[in-house]
Amino acid sequence: MTSRVRDWMTPDPVAVAEDAAALEAFDRMVDRGIRHLPVIDAQRRVIGILSIDDLRGAFPFEVSAVRPLAPEERDQALDYRVSDVMTWAPRTTTADLSLEEAARTLAEHRIGCLPVVDAEERLTGILSETDALRALDALLRREPPPPKPAGAGEGLVEALWAERERLVEQLAKWQDTERVLSADIGDEPRDRAERATDERGVADLEPLTARAARRLRAIERALEAAEHGRLGICERCQGRIPATRLRALPEATLCVRCARTAAEAG
Ligand SMILES: [Zn+2]
C-alpha cells in the first residue's frame, strides 16, 4: 500500500499569524523545540513559512535555541514582524499525496518542511524532514537502500527566483479576490450583512497584499543586486552576508555584525 502524507504528517500543527511579532514566533519555537512554523492568514490559509534559520538570519544578534535572549536583545527584535522575515507563498502539499512525492519535494528543494493544506488552502498538518526520515527508517528496515537520486539543490538566487514566481502567482490570486469582492460591494440591491462581510474581506486582504508586494520588491532588488554581483556584500564592512540572512531578509545590505553595531548606535 502506498504511504500517504497523512500517515506521517503532524496534524493540526502550531502556526503563527503573519502579523505576529517575530519574537513571539521565536519564543513559541523554543518552547516547543520546533524549527518551522507555518504562517497563516485570518482564514487559516497558509501564506508563509518561518524557520528558526530565518530568525537567526534576521535578528541583529546571535540566536540560539538553548540560550534565552537578553532584555536588550528582545528590544532589538521588537521591530520584526513574522511577515518581514518569513518565506512567502511556500511550497505546500496535501494529505492525499504520496509520501514519495512529498519527500522528493523536500529533498529536491532542500526545504525543512511542507505545510499540508486542504482544498481551500487551509492548514491541516505539517510534514517535516524528520517525519520523512522516520518514514525512511521504517522503509529501510524492510528493503535495501534505493539508488541515490541526482541532487538538485537550490542556491540562494534560485530560491529567491522560485519564491518570486510563487509570490507573483499568489498576489495575482489575492488581487482577483479583491477585485471580485470590491465589485460585489458595488452591486445592488444587497443584503446589508452580506455587504459588510465582503467589505471586511477586502480590509483583511489589503494589508496582506501590501506586505506581499513589499516582499516581492525586496526579492526583486536582491535579484537585481545579484545580477550586478553585489548580492550578499555588506555595505559597511564589505564582508559576506550569509545566505540564511538573505533568505529571511532579501533586502539586507548589512551583515549581522554591522546591523548589530548600527542597532546599538541607535
Ligand atoms: Zn558588515
Side-chain angles (χ1 to χ4, degrees):
M1 211 182 86
T2 314
S3 216
R4 301 278 158 200
V5 167
R6 74 168 79 258
D7 305 325
W8 296 95
M9 71 180 195
T10 303
D12 299 319
V14 191
V16 68
E18 49 93 18
D19 57 351
L23 200 51
E24 183 193 323
F26 174 75
D27 290 340
R28 205 168 293 181
M29 285 194 226
V30 172
D31 278 354
R32 311 254 178 159
I34 50 181
R35 305 180 50 85
H36 300 93
L37 276 180
V39 184
I40 51 176
D41 68 8
Q43 280 77 42
R44 214 175 157 75
R45 284 179 303 225
V46 175
I47 57 168
I49 192 94
L50 180 73
S51 75
I52 195 110
D53 287 339
D54 291 335
L55 295 174
R56 201 167 271 146
F59 286 162
F61 44 81
E62 207 71 52
V63 170
S64 154
V66 292
R67 180 184 63 89
L69 296 179
E72 63 272 21
E73 290 174 336
R74 298 190 75 86
D75 285 348
Q76 287 170 24
L78 287 179
D79 292 340
Y80 295 94
R81 239 193 318 199
V82 166
S83 58
D84 295 332
V85 301
M86 71 183 193
T87 297
W88 285 74
R91 289 183 176 79
T92 57
T93 185
T94 58
D96 290 333
L97 198 76
S98 74
L99 183 73
E100 187 189 340
E101 271 178 77
R104 194 179 306 132
T105 304
L106 287 172
E108 272 178 5
H109 303 290
R110 292 193 192 174
I111 47 184
C113 74
L114 282 172
V116 184
V117 296
D118 65 13
E120 274 80 48
E121 289 173 46
R122 282 185 307 244
L123 179 69
T124 60
I126 191 165
L127 184 80
S128 70
E129 53 190 353
T130 309
D131 297 327
L133 284 173
R134 262 206 308 270
L136 178 66
D137 177 51
L139 179 78
L140 289 180
R141 284 164 196 280
R142 291 196 299 262
E143 286 173 26
K148 213 176 175 174
E154 281 185 354
L156 170 67
V157 171
E158 287 73 21
L160 288 176
W161 273 112
E163 183 179 349
R164 178 187 173 277
E165 195 176 317
R166 297 190 308 270
L167 192 45
V168 165
E169 253 175 59
Q170 178 70 78
L171 259 170
K173 231 190 280 176
W174 281 335
Q175 278 156 0
D176 277 350
T177 311
E178 236 171 297
R179 252 194 303 279
V180 170
L181 291 176
S182 304
D184 280 358
I185 291 167
D187 284 351
E188 50 173 354
R190 296 288 312 281
D191 174 63
R192 274 186 71 144
E194 197 183 333
R195 198 147 106 185
T197 308
D198 282 351
E199 277 165 354
R200 206 166 42 240
V202 174
D204 277 350
L205 278 171
E206 271 170 350
L208 182 60
T209 50
R211 286 197 286 277
R214 201 170 58 210
R215 173 73 173 197
L216 185 59
R217 283 196 298 276
I219 290 174
E220 285 175 344
R221 273 198 300 274
L223 289 171
E224 202 185 306
E227 280 197 1
H228 294 95
R230 291 193 322 266
L231 183 66
I233 299 171
C234 173
E235 273 180 357
R236 282 214 186 171
C237 70
Q238 307 300 313
R240 208 171 139 237
I241 306 175
T244 46
R245 179 164 170 81
L246 291 165
R247 274 177 208 264
L249 294 175
E251 71 276 31
T253 54
L254 296 177
C255 68
V256 170
R257 199 187 313 141
C258 290
R260 195 186 312 158
T261 313
E264 279 161 10

